[in-house]
Amino acid sequence: MADGAPAQSYSTGSLTRGTFSPLDQLRLFERKYDPVTRAIIAALPVDRAWRCLELGAGAGSMSYWLAEQVPEGGVLAADIDVSRLDEGRAANLTVRQADVVSEEFEEGAYDLVLARAVLEHLKDPDALLARAKRWLAPGGWLVVEDFYYLPAEHAATAVGRTLVGGYVRRMQEQGADMGWARHLPAALSRAGLESVGLRLTPAGPGQSVADDELIGLRLRQEGHALVESGTVTADELAEFMDLLGRPEGRDMTTLMVSAWARRPAG
């Protein structure tokens, strides 16, 4: 995941500018979304000798898993912050500190490129898709996952409409494009990729235990920014938190859009 980036390049992905999300947030994110990402990749014709690149590797769970799938190949885990990545986890794993906005990787070198929760924070995500296509070997696969935020005014509760709306506005102020993921399948086709696939995964209060834990953690760490800015009151924040895990608070606030496509072999 892309964390803590220069404002002119992409958003921080946090309510507080320049603040890094702690490791426990990343671990909860992985617990929620790794099964989806793994299932998508497992359905591809993965070979033991594949060369893989993960952009925005975060805490490394997907890179570590990929290294196990390609024991005769290799995995390059790239992130602007590599402090949470352990290159010693596998002999075929390499870690590189890299800003995806400016970093170039070897052309035609990778059978799989994975980017999860990265492109929505970029000012020009289509430019990265075009570059990622060049990094793919002929016949290689690009898997991209990002979040589409559903309209806050349609939230299931009044406090949800207030809090989610405020959260989205604050994220937009940090430069995140909360609707770009809707364009993802079409963007892959425009980039010249073929065999585009799509899967949607709902997220929000009550969608899973991991959802509630992740939302609760984020709001405990970052909710003060919403209160201090006057976006929500402390009572509204407490009411939203109290609804977590309760059936009457269940909602869908985002969809993770998973899309994958292949570079033509010819």
Side-chain angles (χ1 to χ4, degrees), residues 114-132:
L114 169 64
R116 184 171 66 174
V118 172
L119 275 77
E120 68 193 57
H121 299 291
L122 305 182
K123 287 198 170 182
D124 191 356
D126 292 281
L128 181 59
L129 289 180
R131 291 161 59 221

Side-chain angles (χ1 to χ4, degrees), residues 215-236:
I215 293 167
L217 178 61
R218 283 178 172 166
L219 289 178
R220 284 192 296 273
Q221 292 175 337
E222 303 180 343
H224 65 88
L226 295 173
V227 175
E228 291 166 2
S229 68
T231 303
V232 298
T233 67
D235 287 343
E236 286 172 328

Side-chain angles (χ1 to χ4, degrees), residues 40-123:
I40 289 168
I41 293 173
L44 301 178
V46 179
D47 185 272
R48 290 169 59 87
W50 266 19
R51 299 152 298 170
C52 306
L53 167 64
E54 184 178 9
L55 304 173
S61 64
M62 282 307 305
S63 287
Y64 303 152
W65 179 82
L66 283 170
E68 295 174 353
Q69 312 309 304
V70 294
E72 299 169 16
V75 177
L76 174 56
D79 202 292
I80 197 168
D81 174 17
V82 297
S83 63
R84 305 178 184 97
L85 295 170
D86 179 8
E87 192 170 56
R89 284 287 294 265
N92 60 342
L93 174 67
T94 302
V95 172
R96 182 191 300 182
Q97 184 173 15
D99 183 339
V100 298
V101 172
S102 56
E103 187 79 7
E104 286 297 338
F105 299 92
E106 184 180 353
E107 293 195 12
Y110 298 99
D111 303 289
L112 172 70
V113 175
L114 169 64
R116 184 171 66 174
V118 172
L119 275 77
E120 68 193 57
H121 299 291
L122 305 182
K123 287 198 170 182

Side-chain angles (χ1 to χ4, degrees), residues 1-263:
M1 291 179 291
D3 273 340
Q8 70 274 17
S9 299
Y10 43 86
S11 75
T12 63
S14 172
L15 291 180
T16 308
R17 185 179 296 276
T19 297
F20 288 86
S21 299
L23 184 59
D24 49 2
Q25 248 195 64
L26 291 175
R27 295 300 189 207
L28 284 171
F29 180 94
E30 291 171 346
R31 196 172 99 198
K32 161 75 176 177
Y33 295 108
D34 278 6
V36 176
T37 310
R38 291 178 181 181
I40 289 168
I41 293 173
L44 301 178
V46 179
D47 185 272
R48 290 169 59 87
W50 266 19
R51 299 152 298 170
C52 306
L53 167 64
E54 184 178 9
L55 304 173
S61 64
M62 282 307 305
S63 287
Y64 303 152
W65 179 82
L66 283 170
E68 295 174 353
Q69 312 309 304
V70 294
E72 299 169 16
V75 177
L76 174 56
D79 202 292
I80 197 168
D81 174 17
V82 297
S83 63
R84 305 178 184 97
L85 295 170
D86 179 8
E87 192 170 56
R89 284 287 294 265
N92 60 342
L93 174 67
T94 302
V95 172
R96 182 191 300 182
Q97 184 173 15
D99 183 339
V100 298
V101 172
S102 56
E103 187 79 7
E104 286 297 338
F105 299 92
E106 184 180 353
E107 293 195 12
Y110 298 99
D111 303 289
L112 172 70
V113 175
L114 169 64
R116 184 171 66 174
V118 172
L119 275 77
E120 68 193 57
H121 299 291
L122 305 182
K123 287 198 170 182
D124 191 356
D126 292 281
L128 181 59
L129 289 180
R131 291 161 59 221
K133 179 191 173 184
R134 297 199 302 268
W135 303 331
L136 285 171
W141 290 87
L142 175 62
V143 177
V144 181
E145 298 181 302
D146 271 293
F147 291 91
Y148 175 65
Y149 281 70
L150 298 168
E153 60 267 28
H154 299 161
T157 63
V159 69
R161 291 189 285 274
T162 299
L163 190 140
V164 175
Y167 190 94
V168 169
R169 285 192 298 274
R170 293 278 294 181
M171 289 283 286
Q172 288 172 326
E173 290 171 2
Q174 298 300 314
D177 186 340
M178 317 306 278
W180 184 84
R182 181 171 179 170
H183 309 162
L184 181 51
L188 291 174
S189 295
R190 289 196 303 269
L193 300 168
E194 62 184 18
S195 303
V196 178
L198 174 66
R199 177 173 173 173
L200 302 177
T201 303
Q207 293 299 317
S208 71
V209 172
D211 279 89
D212 288 344
E213 290 181 358
L214 182 57
I215 293 167
L217 178 61
R218 283 178 172 166
L219 289 178
R220 284 192 296 273
Q221 292 175 337
E222 303 180 343
H224 65 88
L226 295 173
V227 175
E228 291 166 2
S229 68
T231 303
V232 298
T233 67
D235 287 343
E236 286 172 328
L237 179 62
E239 180 184 352
F240 187 89
M241 294 281 287
D242 185 59
L243 284 170
L244 289 176
R246 293 167 54 184
E248 59 269 32
R250 188 175 183 179
D251 196 6
M252 288 182 292
T253 55
T254 65
L255 297 174
M256 185 171 78
V257 180
S258 304
W260 55 96
R262 179 175 175 264
R263 178 175 177 174

